[in-house]
Amino acid sequence: MTIAAHRWVMTAVNEPMSRQDFTIEAPGAGDAVVEIAGCGVCHTDLGYLYDGVRLNHELPLALGHEISGRVIATGPGAEDWNGKAVIIAAVIPCGECDLCQRGKGTICRSQQMPGNDIQGGFASHITVPARGLCAVDETRMAAQGMQLADLSVVADAVTTPYQAAIQSGIGAGDLAVVIGVGGVGGYAVQVAAALGATVIAIDVDEAKLAAVAEHGAAKTFNAREISGRDLKKAIFAFTKDNGLRSTEWFIFECSGTAAGQQTAYGLLVHGATLSVVGFTMDKTELRLSNLMAFHARALGNWGCTPDLYDGAIDLVLDGKIKVLPFVERHPLTDINTIFEAAHAHQLQRRAILTP
Amino acid sequence: MTIAAHRWVMTAVNEPMSRQDFTIEAPGAGDAVVEIAGCGVCHTDLGYLYDGVRLNHELPLALGHEISGRVIATGPGAEDWNGKAVIIAAVIPCGECDLCQRGKGTICRSQQMPGNDIQGGFASHITVPARGLCAVDETRMAAQGMQLADLSVVADAVTTPYQAAIQSGIGAGDLAVVIGVGGVGGYAVQVAAALGATVIAIDVDEAKLAAVAEHGAAKTFNAREISGRDLKKAIFAFTKDNGLRSTEWFIFECSGTAAGQQTAYGLLVHGATLSVVGFTMDKTELRLSNLMAFHARALGNWGCTPDLYDGAIDLVLDGKIKVLPFVERHPLTDINTIFEAAHAHQLQRRAILTP
């Protein structure tokens, strides 16, 4: 078999991406060829293209790691996936190393991320190890009024905060405080609410706060309008008024900014869990011993292992996490225009590029 | 019954402590009167007396929270403890609040610490809730050549790093890196080694490094002689040479200094666990997102709940943790001299005051 395919590749930092044709031969053992339905444009992609963040694969390279589609060809051992609607895990652990064998896939040193370690999802097709595939129930998807392309953002944008939430142990009756409710943090709000928590959302952008107020956040604060000390007092008051605990708050830092991290760290209470989800190279000045004095903890979260995807997909297919209000579809041929608009913060929703 | 007793009380910051006689009446329900065998002098006590660290109980107050002794009287419900050799937990959760009922005793808001919330252990006797008592097998104690007074330091100095180690999940085959091997960190080395880990000790004091090299540390580094980057390289080399992992290091910050915390944080690797055991008011400048990039975690540790004491005592009574090389007994009447010597860093070992 030979499949005619194409991808839009990055050739240099700050240069427009260009279309590249390629052919796909019969996939190897354990591999699957996915005809791509959609690929989400993530902040990480912008970092690669505009900021020169280091890529593991040499250029030219198609970016894109939030991918959904349909399996159209499989290699030996992956035949069961043929024809299935799938989401591709944004980070695919090797599955074979000592770390993977011990269930530590997030720190697998041979993990593959489409659009970084291998060719990515801004393409018509992609070949990936089948162990990175997560099946989608198309009947339930249709019942939610969703198309397969819409589900692409489940990879990364939904699953990353999902893994952080599962790792934190948050559940019914808990208080979640999400700092930074953009592409990832907005879903962190919905994930925490879907898991039964009462959610407070904090951001500096009123439009984002208004959006999450309609989808999961019980209370919002604009960090520009309230100082750290008053914010903590206001949250204590909120917990008191709502019969929630003044201890063991679950804080999710999703802003990936030093200011957001300062805010998040300042909200530590006794037994608190601070999940570090956002990334920034900036440093922050912290009293590390507060973790000791509060018997609190800070948990870093990297991606999401494929075994947790089913749980996240279920929440979306059950309608407990809404994706449609936060995405907009565009043709893949508009990739350069859409990247520029995203880079200029002109998009209100996450863009999904469809071939 | 009436017991004639005395204690040495702090009356003001930076003033010598003075002897105060008192009488003990029949203990209340659930309480036990302990005739004190010994009470360890902890860095925390020095903070109260010399630095004016805030005490929860009003002055005059006997300091001291590392207490061993024998139960000589009990109130209703505590009769089983009569005559037993015991260690008193340095922090006694109330046992009744919602947090305690959910197994979160470390963050109980009604916890009692002798020598802070209630009268402490620099005394002939103390009355405490029996739920804070931990039994000592005197036959095994004698077999180790120990007296009951020697076991006082198990409370806090041994149990605090023990809880931190248990919480971290460290075990056989793991690498532990202990930063700051003084009163608490020295036992952190022994605890980690007793739990099966290979231990690297880091300090700026050659004498302390030499001591732990004889008791649990497989390798030592003087932080004054090696920079952070070279230190990490050297530890990677050590793990390679010794068939240990280059991931998932268990780092115990016991120095309670900003410099130690910088060193500890700089040693984060993929899947690392940083246990924050030492306390300092100082802040440190950290790249918090490293926790995310490494999928690592930082776990604060406050004290040790009484239910974990048996495990720590077992390690001491089995001879897996050596206490005797690290303690020296002095008469309680010398309390002011000993405090001054400890404050001036003139003691090589932890002082235990015996009534």
Side-chain angles (χ1 to χ4, degrees):
Chain A
M1 57 155 272
T2 302
I3 299 166
H6 68 275
R7 52 171 80 106
W8 285 76
V9 293
M10 171 178 169
T11 54
V13 174
N14 261 316
E15 288 293 320
M17 290 167 278
S18 56
R19 181 177 158 140
Q20 183 187 71
D21 292 320
F22 66 104
T23 55
I24 298 175
E25 309 299 327
D31 283 348
V33 179
V34 175
E35 185 178 51
I36 293 173
C39 183
V41 178
C42 176
H43 184 80
T44 307
D45 297 314
L46 303 180
Y48 293 137
L49 187 65
Y50 295 108
D51 304 331
V53 173
R54 199 176 61 83
L55 285 157
N56 292 330
H57 190 286
E58 64 187 3
L59 298 178
L61 178 74
L63 303 174
H65 53 272
E66 296 184 351
I67 310 166
S68 58
R70 188 175 305 281
V71 178
I72 60 163
T74 53
E79 295 86 351
D80 287 353
W81 287 99
N82 248 321
K84 286 200 173 146
V86 295
I87 294 167
I88 299 173
V91 175
I92 307 172
C94 80
E96 292 167 12
C97 70
D98 168 62
L99 289 163
C100 285
Q101 295 291 324
R102 289 188 291 115
K104 308 259 179 182
T106 56
I107 56 170
C108 166
R109 307 319 310 132
S110 306
Q111 56 188 218
Q112 292 188 313
M113 174 178 165
N116 181 13
D117 298 293
I118 59 175
Q119 293 288 346
F122 297 127
S124 64
H125 299 77
I126 186 172
T127 302
V128 294
R131 69 174 174 280
L133 300 179
C134 311
V136 172
D137 181 329
E138 294 181 87
T139 308
R140 291 167 68 198
M141 178 180 81
Q144 292 293 332
M146 301 182 78
Q147 298 182 18
L148 188 51
D150 302 322
L151 282 172
S152 59
V153 297
V154 170
D156 200 10
V158 175
T159 51
T160 296
Y162 180 76
Q163 177 177 276
I166 295 297
Q167 175 175 258
S168 76
I170 195 171
D174 290 327
L175 177 74
V177 184
V178 179
I179 290 97
V181 292
V184 168
Y187 290 116
V189 170
Q190 292 200 69
V191 165
L195 295 174
T198 301
V199 186
I200 291 176
I202 300 170
D203 205 299
V204 293
D205 182 327
E206 282 296 338
K208 287 178 182 163
L209 289 172
V212 295
E214 289 186 20
H215 296 282
K219 175 85 179 166
T220 64
F221 290 99
N222 189 322
R224 287 203 205 284
E225 295 169 2
I226 187 166
S227 74
R229 188 177 294 256
D230 287 343
L231 178 62
K232 196 167 187 177
K233 274 188 197 168
I235 297 178
F236 273 123
F238 177 86
T239 57
K240 196 175 177 189
D241 292 346
N242 290 273
L244 297 165
R245 296 188 183 113
S246 59
T247 57
E248 300 152 271
W249 295 350
F250 290 84
I251 304 156
F252 295 89
E253 199 323 281
C254 300
S255 77
T257 66
Q261 292 181 340
Q262 280 285 357
T263 299
Y265 199 82
L267 293 176
L268 287 180
V269 291
H270 286 93
T273 302
L274 166 59
S275 295
V276 183
V277 182
F279 182 80
T280 173
M281 289 293 285
D282 292 342
K283 293 183 174 182
T284 41
E285 199 177 46
L286 307 170
R287 185 177 293 131
L288 194 62
S289 293
N290 281 3
L291 291 175
M292 175 266 200
F294 286 128
H295 199 97
R297 57 189 186 152
L299 307 180
N301 182 76
W302 177 260
C304 177
T305 51
D307 59 299
L308 289 179
Y309 270 61
D310 284 349
I313 294 171
D314 268 345
L315 293 179
V316 173
L317 297 186
D318 286 345
K320 291 180 180 168
I321 294 177
K322 301 288 187 193
V323 167
L324 291 182
F326 299 95
V327 296
E328 54 187 44
R329 289 191 293 265
H330 297 275
L332 177 55
T333 47
D334 291 349
I335 185 168
N336 287 311
T337 312
I338 294 299
F339 261 64
E340 281 163 29
H343 190 223
H345 302 287
Q346 290 165 349
L347 303 181
Q348 289 302 310
R349 301 171 170 208
R350 200 172 191 85
I352 295 171
L353 299 178
T354 59
Chain B
M1 59 155 269
T2 302
I3 300 166
H6 67 276
R7 53 172 78 104
W8 284 76
V9 294
M10 170 178 170
T11 54
V13 174
N14 261 315
E15 287 294 319
M17 289 167 278
S18 57
R19 180 178 159 139
Q20 183 188 69
D21 291 320
F22 66 105
T23 56
I24 298 176
E25 310 299 327
D31 283 348
V33 178
V34 175
E35 186 177 50
I36 294 173
C39 183
V41 178
C42 175
H43 184 79
T44 307
D45 297 314
L46 304 179
Y48 293 137
L49 187 65
Y50 296 108
D51 304 330
V53 173
R54 198 176 62 82
L55 285 157
N56 291 330
H57 190 287
E58 64 188 4
L59 298 178
L61 178 75
L63 301 175
H65 53 272
E66 295 185 350
I67 311 166
S68 58
R70 187 175 306 280
V71 178
I72 59 162
T74 52
E79 295 85 351
D80 287 354
W81 286 99
N82 249 321
K84 287 201 172 146
V86 295
I87 294 167
I88 300 173
V91 175
I92 308 172
C94 80
E96 292 168 12
C97 70
D98 168 63
L99 290 162
C100 284
Q101 294 290 325
R102 289 187 292 114
K104 308 259 180 180
T106 55
I107 56 170
C108 167
R109 306 320 309 131
S110 306
Q111 57 187 215
Q112 292 187 312
M113 174 178 163
N116 180 14
D117 297 293
I118 59 174
Q119 293 289 345
F122 298 127
S124 63
H125 299 77
I126 186 171
T127 303
V128 293
R131 69 174 174 279
L133 300 179
C134 310
V136 172
D137 182 329
E138 294 181 86
T139 307
R140 291 166 69 198
M141 180 181 80
Q144 292 293 332
M146 301 182 79
Q147 298 182 19
L148 189 50
D150 302 321
L151 283 172
S152 60
V153 297
V154 170
D156 201 10
V158 175
T159 52
T160 295
Y162 180 76
Q163 177 178 275
I166 295 297
Q167 176 175 258
S168 76
I170 194 172
D174 290 326
L175 176 73
V177 184
V178 179
I179 291 98
V181 292
V184 168
Y187 290 116
V189 170
Q190 292 199 68
V191 165
L195 294 175
T198 301
V199 186
I200 291 176
I202 300 170
D203 205 300
V204 293
D205 182 328
E206 281 296 340
K208 287 179 182 163
L209 289 172
V212 296
E214 289 187 18
H215 294 95
K219 176 85 179 166
T220 64
F221 291 99
N222 189 323
R224 288 203 205 284
E225 295 169 2
I226 186 166
S227 74
R229 189 176 294 257
D230 287 342
L231 178 62
K232 196 167 186 175
K233 274 188 198 168
I235 297 178
F236 272 123
F238 177 87
T239 57
K240 195 174 177 188
D241 292 346
N242 290 272
L244 298 165
R245 296 188 183 114
S246 59
T247 57
E248 301 153 90
W249 295 351
F250 291 84
I251 304 155
F252 295 89
E253 202 315 288
C254 300
S255 76
T257 67
Q261 291 181 340
Q262 280 286 357
T263 299
Y265 200 82
L267 293 177
L268 287 180
V269 291
H270 285 94
T273 301
L274 166 59
S275 296
V276 183
V277 182
F279 182 80
T280 172
M281 290 292 286
D282 293 343
K283 294 182 173 183
T284 40
E285 198 176 45
L286 308 169
R287 186 178 291 131
L288 194 63
S289 294
N290 282 3
L291 291 175
M292 175 265 201
F294 286 128
H295 199 95
R297 56 187 185 153
L299 307 180
N301 183 76
W302 178 261
C304 177
T305 51
D307 58 299
L308 289 179
Y309 269 60
D310 285 349
I313 294 171
D314 269 346
L315 292 180
V316 173
L317 296 186
D318 286 346
K320 291 180 179 167
I321 293 177
K322 301 287 187 193
V323 167
L324 291 181
F326 299 96
V327 296
E328 54 188 41
R329 288 191 294 263
H330 297 275
L332 177 55
T333 47
D334 290 349
I335 186 169
N336 286 312
T337 313
I338 294 300
F339 261 64
E340 282 163 29
H343 190 222
H345 302 286
Q346 289 165 352
L347 303 181
Q348 289 302 311
R349 300 169 171 211
R350 199 172 191 85
I352 294 170
L353 299 178
T354 59

